[in-house]
Amino acid sequence: MSDADNPATDADAHAHHDHHGHEGPGYVTPQAAIEESEPEEVAYVIGLYVGTDVDAPDFLAVVDTDPDSSTYGQIIDRVEMPNRGDELHHFGWNACSSSCHVEGLERQHLIVPGQRSSRIHVVDTADRRDPELVKVIEPEEVFEHDLSAPHTVHCIPDGKILISMLGDANGELPGGFLELNDDFEVEGRWDTPGDIDMNYDYWYQPRHNVMISSEWAAPKTYYPGFDLEDVEAGKYGRQLHIWDWEAGTVEQTIDLGEEGMIPLEVRFLHSPVSTHGFVGAALSSNVFHFYEDGGEWHADKAIDVEPREHDDWDMPVPGLVTDLLVSMDDRYLFFSNWLHGDVRMYDVSDPANPRLADRIWAGGLFGPRNPIEGERDVYGGPQMLQLSLDGERLYWTTSLFSTWDNQFYPEEGEQGSVMLKADVNPRKGTMALDQEFLVDFGDLPDGPARAHEIRWPDGDCTSDVWL
């Protein structure tokens, strides 16, 4: 077995990887992120009104996560977007640990796209508790490159930004990738049109000159909501694409088959020497372990979430694995089952053989509607996850996508989302729901809002990449 396939060697890299100086943003190694980071005091959380009865623009919420603060667990600020109907969804930083060698570059700006509008917002977080909108890239500038529906935002080396785009200018296929420079100007298309058909999430591992992307569907397919006939017609994805990172070309495609329907979030292990990672197949409710062996990439089903019978459904209910992340020490994998209503924690010390360590039920179709005594009901299941850099606090929100929310959890559009938190003991492999923490997105001046992705000011487990 080569060093790249040896988890023990991966672990050593956390302690010993230091091939460049630290002059820019982020941390020199994943282990440095664990040891040097301070507990998160604020969180940036997407809030949206698309698909609700509230006629107001979407916003970026600032949530107080400092337990010593008088406003702990509250939304202390909101950055409203200038237009209605954006459907803010995923967002990311202008810089991360992949640019920690770039002197003078700072992790200060959030790139906040509108999934429906294809409008891209830039938010300055110099004042962490009072960020401000400083730039808007209008959709027409994006459409010029025959792209639309921005999704994943990753900071890439040297201060540039790469955004996965799920459709062409008309909301059809193919999708692709849009690149921004460090002045937040559109550089152009990163890929060659037609290299891929469907697109969704991606993660890159520069030490191995590789990027892996996943598939959802054409925007015009998923925008109206979920239709099983679209799956039967082959309009939803089931493939992973393996890219040459430097050349920007697809070198291999892996068909995950019927058990890999709608592969969404892609996560490499954080160690830069590792070629192991995971992707969650939402509809099939499986987690695949991908890895490189002898120059070829492979993906094997590693975790299977069994469907469950429900009185109100005429078919067994899939778990719907919609988000997953890997702890900074690469020991644990966490993922959410949005329909079932549970968050799971797996020991992935051996990435090919995950072991269930713990789980929490909160909302969803099978979890408690009122998981925190004395607090409001929870509509929707655990969805977007974010873990503290030290691996001791896991947070999540409950909205997936506006039309899908309305389809499966219509009450959430009326009552709003919540943000919940679990205390994690990584030494024992356990989680416990924090009974003192619930952020209520249903209690806002404009009316109840949905909540989606979460980011920390000092980096997090779903954005930082190492060279």
Side-chain angles (χ1 to χ4, degrees), residues 203 205 210-213 240 242 254 256 265-269 274-280 287-293 297-302 324 351-352:
W203 196 284
Q205 196 73 314
V210 66
M211 180 181 90
I212 296 183
S213 66
L240 298 180
I242 317 301
I254 301 173
L256 300 178
E265 310 299 336
V266 178
R267 309 287 185 238
F268 265 105
L269 298 190
S274 179
T275 59
H276 293 273
F278 300 93
V279 61
V287 175
F288 280 77
H289 164 231
F290 59 78
Y291 57 97
E292 183 269 339
D293 184 21
W297 288 83
H298 307 269
D300 302 328
K301 187 177 71 170
L324 78 169

Side-chain angles (χ1 to χ4, degrees), residues 295-306:
E296 291 290 317
W297 288 83
H298 307 269
D300 302 328
K301 187 177 71 170
I303 301 170
D304 195 5
V305 177
E306 293 294 330

Side-chain angles (χ1 to χ4, degrees), residues 381-403:
Q383 213 288 96
M384 293 306 299
L385 308 174
Q386 195 53 264
L387 184 68
S388 60
L389 291 173
D390 62 10
E392 296 184 359
R393 294 165 300 284
L394 180 72
Y395 300 76
W396 64 88
T397 56
T398 52
S399 168
L400 175 60
F401 195 71
S402 62
T403 44

Side-chain angles (χ1 to χ4, degrees), residues 181-401:
N181 63 26
D182 56 5
D183 290 322
F184 314 120
E185 299 166 333
V186 175
E187 284 273 286
R189 189 168 188 144
W190 178 82
D191 61 314
T192 301
D195 268 2
I196 57 171
D197 201 24
M198 300 181 195
N199 201 8
Y200 184 72
D201 191 33
Y202 76 97
W203 196 284
Y204 66 101
Q205 196 73 314
R207 183 81 70 92
H208 297 282
N209 189 35
V210 66
M211 180 181 90
I212 296 183
S213 66
S214 59
E215 299 185 332
W216 192 7
K220 284 190 175 179
T221 298
Y222 64 79
Y223 276 174
F226 178 73
D227 187 337
L228 193 57
E229 291 184 1
D230 288 335
V231 178
E232 296 166 353
K235 293 183 178 181
Y236 279 94
R238 62 184 221 180
Q239 297 183 127
L240 298 180
H241 302 286
I242 317 301
W243 298 72
D244 181 309
W245 173 240
E246 293 183 0
T249 55
V250 176
E251 300 299 310
Q252 183 185 344
T253 293
I254 301 173
D255 188 339
L256 300 178
E258 295 295 328
E259 290 194 304
M261 292 302 303
I262 313 185
L264 295 182
E265 310 299 336
V266 178
R267 309 287 185 238
F268 265 105
L269 298 190
H270 297 286
S271 167
V273 305
S274 179
T275 59
H276 293 273
F278 300 93
V279 61
L283 185 59
S284 303
S285 299
N286 300 319
V287 175
F288 280 77
H289 164 231
F290 59 78
Y291 57 97
E292 183 269 339
D293 184 21
E296 291 290 317
W297 288 83
H298 307 269
D300 302 328
K301 187 177 71 170
I303 301 170
D304 195 5
V305 177
E306 293 294 330
R308 296 182 57 172
E309 298 291 337
H310 191 284
D311 291 342
D312 296 333
W313 282 56
D314 56 8
M315 59 177 279
V317 180
L320 213 71
V321 178
T322 50
D323 194 21
L324 78 169
L325 60 77
V326 178
S327 61
M328 195 58 73
D329 62 1
D330 289 342
R331 182 177 176 188
Y332 292 108
L333 171 74
F334 298 83
F335 68 81
S336 55
N337 285 310
W338 187 61
L339 287 179
H340 282 185
D342 61 315
V343 177
R344 297 192 183 189
M345 176 182 184
Y346 281 79
D347 182 338
V348 290
S349 300
D350 177 357
N353 296 286
R355 179 185 62 82
L356 180 63
D358 205 355
R359 79 170 79 180
I360 288 176
W361 291 91
L365 295 176
F366 299 99
R369 178 59 60 86
N370 188 242
I372 297 181
E373 188 174 350
E375 290 284 0
R376 56 158 284 185
D377 288 350
V378 173
Y379 301 95
Q383 213 288 96
M384 293 306 299
L385 308 174
Q386 195 53 264
L387 184 68
S388 60
L389 291 173
D390 62 10
E392 296 184 359
R393 294 165 300 284
L394 180 72
Y395 300 76
W396 64 88
T397 56
T398 52
S399 168
L400 175 60
F401 195 71

